Amino acid sequence: LAKTTQPISMDSYEGQEVNITCSHNNIATNDYITWYQQFPSQGPRFIIQGYKTKVTNEVASLFIPADRKSSTLSLPRVSLSDTAVYYCLVGDPYGNFNKFYFGSGTKLNVKP
Amino acid sequence: GAVVSQHPSRVICKSGTSVKIECRSLDFQATTMFWYRQFPKQSLMLMATSNEGSKATYEQGVEKDKFLINHASLTLSTLTVTSAHPEDSSFYICSARVPDRENTEAFFGQGTRLTVV
């Protein structure tokens, strides 16, 4: 199972762009990379998913280098409401993908 | 988007009693659901995989007789914490994926806060 490593915490200010990097050195060929956001006392919420290069949606961008051993979640112009824990997960969507093993996650603290 | 709902959102029970937590997929059928436990300021820990019509698969270290899982229909999985003790107090979360969808994201329930007194 691919293991992920993320910084435990990050601080930012409102309006800044935040980049959270995740390391997954033993990612398998069929694995996708998915990022989730979790607020206290709530279930995780899907942010973005990708396999390689760059993926962008209405809330974030995901950058994946060619070797896929890491990925970077980019949150543009964060606000106070983006204070949360962000999890990076890897898994095979056509296998038992949902059997996510969560890493420690990154606690993002957005300051005014 | 697809919705996974848990009930109850909070429950307090006395030590020694059993508590049932429900996880429902509201607008899709889920042959497989997953149960997680999360202690304060910690990450989610996968407990078991719930399979419709068959026995659940438990992760190493999780007592199957303690945490009973039933997945009797394609839209409902239940987790029963039997003979609960204070150390079982935790945040329990379920998840499911919409089958046969190109988008392979997992949907999570809102969680159930269990407090054993």
Side-chain angles (χ1 to χ4, degrees):
Chain A
L1 294 165
K3 179 181 177 181
T4 60
T5 303
Q6 304 172 231
I8 295 297
S9 65
M10 292 182 67
D11 289 333
S12 180
Y13 290 93
E14 280 192 292
Q16 288 186 332
E17 177 185 78
V18 171
N19 296 308
I20 305 174
T21 297
C22 178
S23 172
H24 28 81
N25 290 319
N26 58 340
I27 187 170
T29 302
N30 295 331
D31 285 346
Y32 279 61
I33 301 154
T34 310
W35 285 79
Y36 282 84
Q37 175 192 55
Q38 187 184 30
F39 296 112
S41 297
Q42 293 186 28
R45 185 174 70 98
F46 173 86
I47 301 175
I48 198 166
Q49 181 185 86
Y51 184 80
K52 61 180 179 181
T53 62
K54 177 184 176 181
V55 179
T56 298
N57 61 22
E58 62 275 9
V59 298
S61 293
L62 177 59
F63 299 92
I64 305 169
D67 67 3
R68 303 199 327 120
K69 293 184 182 298
S70 66
S71 59
T72 299
L73 173 71
S74 182
L75 304 172
R77 299 181 297 280
V78 295
S79 64
L80 295 176
S81 62
D82 292 317
T83 293
V85 179
Y86 293 82
Y87 293 98
C88 157
L89 296 95
V90 296
D92 178 2
Y94 303 105
N96 207 0
F97 182 64
N98 253 12
K99 199 172 183 177
F100 284 143
Y101 293 93
F102 282 75
S104 61
T106 298
K107 175 70 169 67
L108 173 64
N109 183 28
V110 180
K111 303 175 183 178
Chain B
V3 178
V4 174
S5 178
Q6 282 183 241
H7 177 81
S9 57
R10 290 177 177 269
V11 59
I12 301 173
C13 71
K14 291 184 178 180
S15 186
T17 62
S18 295
V19 175
K20 180 184 287 187
I21 302 170
E22 295 184 346
C23 178
R24 294 183 184 272
S25 55
L26 297 186
D27 51 0
F28 65 99
Q29 293 181 332
T31 54
T32 303
M33 292 184 178
F34 300 84
W35 287 95
Y36 294 83
R37 179 168 56 180
Q38 186 176 33
F39 292 108
K41 299 188 184 301
Q42 294 187 22
S43 183
L44 287 78
M45 184 193 80
L46 179 65
M47 299 175 67
T49 303
S50 172
N51 303 296
E52 188 271 335
S54 65
K55 291 183 178 180
T57 304
Y58 291 82
E59 295 297 306
Q60 189 173 7
V62 178
E63 301 175 57
K64 62 179 181 181
D65 296 329
K66 172 78 171 175
F67 300 99
L68 300 180
I69 291 173
N70 183 277
H71 195 153
S73 79
L74 288 171
T75 59
L76 174 64
S77 175
T78 60
L79 169 68
T80 301
V81 183
T82 62
S83 186
H85 292 284
E87 57 266 29
D88 297 323
S89 297
S90 187
F91 193 53
Y92 292 86
I93 308 169
C94 69
S95 79
R97 180 172 69 88
V98 179
D100 302 322
R101 254 181 64 163
E102 186 174 334
N103 188 335
T104 55
E105 68 183 89
F107 294 93
F108 287 80
Q110 71 271 38
T112 298
R113 175 74 60 192
L114 170 63
T115 303
V116 184
V117 298

